[in-house]
């Protein structure tokens, strides 16, 4: 399958999607050309789902950054919280930058089925994101109890509560899993902004890239549909919106 065919498949649902490899390359170019930093001066953290497919489809070039610090749990919600944020922010090179890539993920299989991928060595497709699909199934069956968060399944219950708060919006959508993924993105984005504001840094920049991460079958790879690309200059306090760089 050629790259343009893969992009056409993914862009039916996510019109601005790029391959995750191209996304990483654009960010590294930006860091070197506009911030005048080397990737080794950047502490990278990601808040993406713990699903093994995200480790398998992780672009090799992202390892030029320091890190990654893993902030995410099920479907990418930043479960490491304020403590996780404070920890990696204190590991950054002095004149460097913090770079956070965050968002939920969703599968689109080679045959175009949303919410599924074909994983290496398996006969059948499986769910992706399994947690989002599980929570959506419970929402559709009226099985989510408001406020119910247990110790045994804390992360899953948190995802369920996020969906429960937008029940009508999700259930009335044309593709409920696509809408549920948007809802989870919004929850992650607002939590990340809260964590970023509440954290102290000894570096020059905070780079934020919020996206829906799209996984496909093993031979198709992964894609990124960016929703936010902000650079905060910690010396001046200014914030620049650079989303256009990840939309081309
Ligand atoms: Zn997942």
């Amino acid at each position: 399958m050629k790259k343009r065919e893969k992009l056409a498949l993914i862009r039916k649902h996510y019109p601005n999607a790029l391959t995750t490899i191209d996304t990483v390359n654009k960010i590294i170019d930006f860091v070197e050309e506009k911030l005048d930093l080397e990737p080794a001066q950047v502490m990278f953290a990601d808040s993406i789902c713990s699903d093994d497919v995200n480790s398998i489809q992780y672009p090799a070039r992202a390892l030029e950054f320091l890190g990654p610090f893993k902030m995410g749990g099920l479907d990418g919600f930043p479960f490491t919280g304020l403590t996780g944020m404070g920890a990696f922010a204190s590991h950054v090179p002095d004149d460097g930058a913090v770079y956070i890539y965050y968002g939920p993920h969703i599968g689109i299989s080679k045959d175009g089925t949303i919410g599924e991928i074909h994983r290496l060595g398996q006969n059948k497709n499986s769910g992706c994101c399994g947690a989002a699909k599980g929570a959506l199934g419970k929402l559709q069956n009226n099985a989510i109890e408001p406020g119910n968060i247990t110790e045994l399944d804390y992360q899953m219950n948190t995802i369920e509560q996020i969906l429960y708060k937008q029940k009508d919006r999700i259930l009335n959508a044309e593709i409920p899993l696509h809408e549920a993924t948007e809802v989870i993105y919004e929850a992650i984005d607002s939590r990340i902004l809260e964590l970023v504001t509440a954290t102290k840094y000894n570096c020059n920049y905070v780079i934020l890239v919020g996206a829906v991460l799209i996984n496909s079958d093993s031979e198709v790879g992964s894609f990124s549909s960016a929703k936010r690309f902000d650079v905060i200059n910690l010396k001046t306090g200014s914030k620049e919106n650079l989303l256009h760089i990840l939309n081309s």
Side-chain angles (χ1 to χ4, degrees):
M1 206 174 180
K2 296 186 183 71
K3 180 171 156 183
R4 66 168 183 275
E5 294 164 342
K6 296 176 185 175
L7 285 171
L9 169 78
I10 303 302
R11 285 178 177 168
K12 278 182 200 150
H13 295 289
Y14 292 95
N16 74 339
L18 300 174
T19 65
T20 309
I21 293 169
D22 284 347
T23 305
V24 170
N25 287 342
K26 280 171 185 280
I27 290 164
I28 292 178
D29 286 349
F30 170 81
V31 161
E32 290 184 340
E33 288 161 21
K34 305 290 180 197
L35 302 185
D36 200 25
L37 294 172
E38 290 174 31
Q41 291 175 285
V42 177
M43 177 57 68
F44 177 37
D46 64 42
S47 195
I48 59 177
C49 186
S50 4
D51 189 330
D52 41 271
V53 74
N54 286 335
S55 300
I56 295 168
Q57 296 183 342
Y58 213 78
R61 250 198 115 190
L63 302 175
E64 289 183 26
F65 296 119
L66 301 174
F69 186 97
K70 308 298 282 182
M71 297 173 75
L74 292 179
D75 214 8
F77 195 80
F79 285 104
T80 59
L82 209 47
T83 303
M85 193 65 208
F88 80 83
S90 72
H91 303 162
V92 191
D94 294 341
D95 295 317
V98 165
Y99 161 41
I100 307 172
Y101 175 93
Y102 61 88
H105 73 145
I106 189 166
I108 299 179
S109 67
K110 203 163 85 175
D111 62 13
T113 310
I114 199 159
E116 284 185 8
I117 54 170
H118 181 257
R119 298 175 195 251
L120 217 60
Q122 291 200 321
N123 249 330
K124 289 184 182 157
N125 285 355
S126 60
C128 179
C129 172
K133 282 189 90 166
L136 175 62
K138 282 180 85 171
L139 189 70
Q140 285 164 329
N141 293 326
N142 256 326
I144 301 175
E145 218 180 291
N148 180 42
I149 294 184
T150 65
E151 205 180 339
L152 194 60
D153 214 2
Y154 168 78
Q155 295 192 2
M156 184 62 186
N157 298 152
T158 303
I159 301 293
E160 290 165 2
Q161 294 301 318
I162 291 168
L163 297 194
Y164 184 80
K165 287 183 191 131
Q166 302 277 344
K167 187 174 180 179
D168 293 343
R169 174 180 161 193
I170 294 167
L171 297 186
N172 292 328
E174 196 188 329
I175 307 174
L177 184 66
H178 186 286
E179 196 65 21
T181 305
E182 294 293 305
V183 166
I184 296 167
Y185 172 79
E186 289 162 19
I188 296 172
D189 181 61
S190 98
R191 180 59 59 88
I192 291 279
L193 297 183
E194 240 180 290
L195 292 172
V196 165
T197 309
T199 302
K200 286 195 167 46
Y201 312 87
N202 63 345
C203 59
N204 290 345
Y205 302 100
V206 175
I207 304 163
L208 297 177
V209 175
V212 175
L213 176 58
I214 303 127
N215 303 101
S216 189
D217 297 6
S218 44
E219 70 271 32
V220 182
S222 76
F223 303 82
S224 190
S225 169
K227 290 174 172 291
R228 182 189 293 281
F229 180 11
D230 284 348
V231 175
I232 303 165
N233 182 326
L234 294 163
K235 297 281 183 264
T236 63
S238 65
K239 190 180 200 174
E240 202 179 346
N241 175 353
L242 296 155
L243 191 56
H244 62 274
I245 294 177
L246 297 179
N247 275 338
S248 51

